């Protein structure tokens, strides 16, 4: 059962991108690419060769591999609809935050290793916005720890029941909203970023990986899918109090696909924010998490 649990995120994570892209295509009046197109893209890249600039070092080559390894390890910490994660212990939420930080750190230094001012610009924006998003995420996890009385993510989600939601409704609503904003920001989605744009003045995440190709770019795209799965799991874990439910492991993946549809709808009806307005949105998310923590402590 633990092996199946460990494999589900790695098998289904790219499907979230497929659902988001198909939802956006339907809103635009197009048929859109197949749901499995992200799988085809990664497989195509893995079969290609990689070209490396003579000005780069081992850091450039290590960035995609370390990023994928750290994100994959973070996936093993997450529970699946109340079922215990493959790696679970008291304080594992801190390990989750560090693993995601390691993945981002190597992506940034790999971009800086190219010596390109263009990629350096993207790395600067990535670090600035992530520094604003991380307080919202960590404070939100602190709210869940305070309400459930545990520092283990598995036990947090297992303890979330409808009765606990009724007792802490304002705090949990603020936390889930803050997690939703962090999901859009950390995964380079509209209204914060647009993964399909190549406009120099507005690119954030995509500009950091322009020099990667072949298997390295495939690793980066698969890492992005796993990162989306992780943050979507946090949002769904708060919104769906499945603690103690025997149907949780079956309902949870369906809920994540539903969350992907909602993300596609949000991207279809909202414009992209001006770059200067993004920090205000992320600070607002941090304020919501801080207010939720005050309500949880009071």
């Amino acid at each position: 059962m633990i092996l199946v649990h460990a494999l589900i995120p790695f098998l289904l994570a790219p499907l979230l991108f497929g659902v988001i892209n198909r939802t956006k295509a339907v809103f635009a009046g197009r048929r859109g690419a197949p749901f499995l197109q992200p799988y085809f893209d990664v497989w195509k890249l893995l079969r290609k060769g990689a070209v490396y600039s003579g000005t780069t070092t081992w850091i450039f080559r290590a960035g995609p591999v370390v990023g994928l390894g750290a994100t994959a390890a973070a996936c093993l910490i997450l529970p699946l609809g109340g079922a215990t994660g493959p790696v679970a212990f008291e304080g594992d939420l801190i390990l989750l935050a560090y693993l995601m930080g390691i993945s981002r750190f190597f992506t940034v230094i790999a971009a800086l290793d190219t010596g390109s001012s263009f990629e350096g610009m993207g790395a600067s924006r990535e670090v600035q916005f992530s520094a604003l998003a991380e307080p919202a995420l960590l404070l939100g996890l602190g709210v869940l720890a305070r309400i459930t009385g545990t520092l283990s993510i598995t036990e947090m989600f297992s303890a979330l029941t409808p009765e606990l939601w009724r007792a802490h409704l304002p705090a949990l609503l603020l936390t889930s909203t803050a997690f939703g904003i962090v999901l859009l920001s950390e995964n380079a989605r509209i209204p914060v970023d647009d993964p399909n744009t190549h406009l120099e003045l507005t690119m954030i995440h995509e500009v950091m990986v322009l020099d990667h190709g072949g298997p390295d770019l495939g690793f980066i795209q698969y890492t992005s899918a796993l990162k989306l799965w992780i943050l979507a799991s946090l949002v769904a874990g708060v919104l769906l109090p499945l603690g103690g439910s025997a149907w949780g492991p079956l309902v949870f993946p369906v809920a994540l696909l539903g969350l992907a549809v909602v993300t596609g709808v949000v991207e279809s009806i909202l414009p992209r924010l001006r770059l200067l307005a993004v920090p205000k949105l992320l600070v607002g998310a941090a304020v919501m998490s801080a207010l939720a923590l005050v309500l949880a402590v009071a």
Side-chain angles (χ1 to χ4, degrees):
M1 183 61 188
I2 292 180
L3 180 61
V4 173
H5 182 169
L7 288 177
I8 286 177
F10 301 106
L11 294 176
L12 296 183
L15 186 59
L16 298 182
F17 279 139
V19 172
I20 292 175
N21 292 335
R22 176 60 74 89
T23 303
K24 293 169 66 176
V26 170
F27 264 78
R30 297 182 285 107
R31 182 177 181 181
F35 287 112
L36 300 182
Q37 187 62 46
Y39 296 91
F40 301 150
D41 292 341
V42 172
W43 177 243
K44 179 181 67 178
L45 290 170
L46 291 180
R47 289 185 298 163
K48 290 187 175 182
V51 177
Y52 298 103
S53 167
T55 62
T56 58
T57 67
W58 65 270
I59 294 176
F60 183 77
R61 302 187 183 205
V65 177
V66 176
L68 176 59
T71 308
C75 281
L76 298 178
I77 299 175
L78 292 171
L80 190 68
T84 304
V87 178
F89 55 90
E90 192 72 13
D92 56 11
L93 64 87
I94 299 174
L95 178 60
L96 176 71
Y98 270 97
L99 287 172
M100 295 182 69
I102 289 173
S103 177
R104 177 184 296 109
F105 174 74
F106 271 86
T107 303
V108 168
I109 63 172
L112 295 176
D113 191 55
T114 63
S116 166
S117 59
F118 191 34
E119 297 203 22
M121 177 194 68
S124 172
R125 291 173 177 174
E126 175 83 6
V127 171
Q128 177 192 0
F129 295 149
S130 63
L132 297 173
E134 283 181 355
L137 179 63
L138 295 176
L139 287 171
L141 292 174
V143 172
L144 298 180
R146 171 65 183 178
I147 290 176
T148 59
T150 176
L151 293 176
S152 171
I153 294 179
T154 291
E155 294 181 8
M156 283 180 186
F157 288 169
S158 297
L160 281 177
T161 59
E163 291 74 20
L164 204 62
W165 253 96
R166 282 192 289 271
H168 300 278
L169 180 62
L172 291 174
L173 278 178
L174 288 170
T175 302
S176 56
T177 304
F179 280 176
I181 294 174
V182 171
L183 181 149
L184 296 175
S185 172
E186 290 290 282
N187 290 285
R189 313 305 306 185
I190 295 174
V192 175
D193 194 5
D194 187 351
N196 296 319
T197 184
H198 286 85
L199 182 60
E200 178 180 348
L201 295 178
T202 58
M203 291 175 72
I204 301 175
H205 178 76
E206 291 301 311
V207 71
M208 292 194 302
V209 299
L210 283 179
D211 279 10
H212 289 287
D216 292 336
L217 186 57
F219 289 164
I220 291 172
Q221 290 189 357
Y222 191 62
T223 300
S224 298
L226 293 178
K227 189 175 181 181
L228 177 62
W229 178 278
I230 291 171
L231 292 170
S233 295
L234 292 178
V235 176
V238 177
L239 291 177
L240 292 176
L242 295 173
S245 171
W247 296 97
L250 297 177
V251 172
F252 200 69
V254 178
L256 293 188
L257 295 177
L259 195 59
V261 173
V262 173
T263 303
V265 172
V266 169
E267 291 198 38
S268 300
I269 63 177
L270 290 182
R272 180 174 173 174
L273 292 173
R274 293 177 57 197
L275 207 57
L276 295 177
V278 173
K280 298 177 182 177
L281 177 67
L282 297 176
V283 170
V287 170
M288 280 191 277
S289 289
L291 180 58
L293 185 59
V294 171
L295 293 173
V297 172

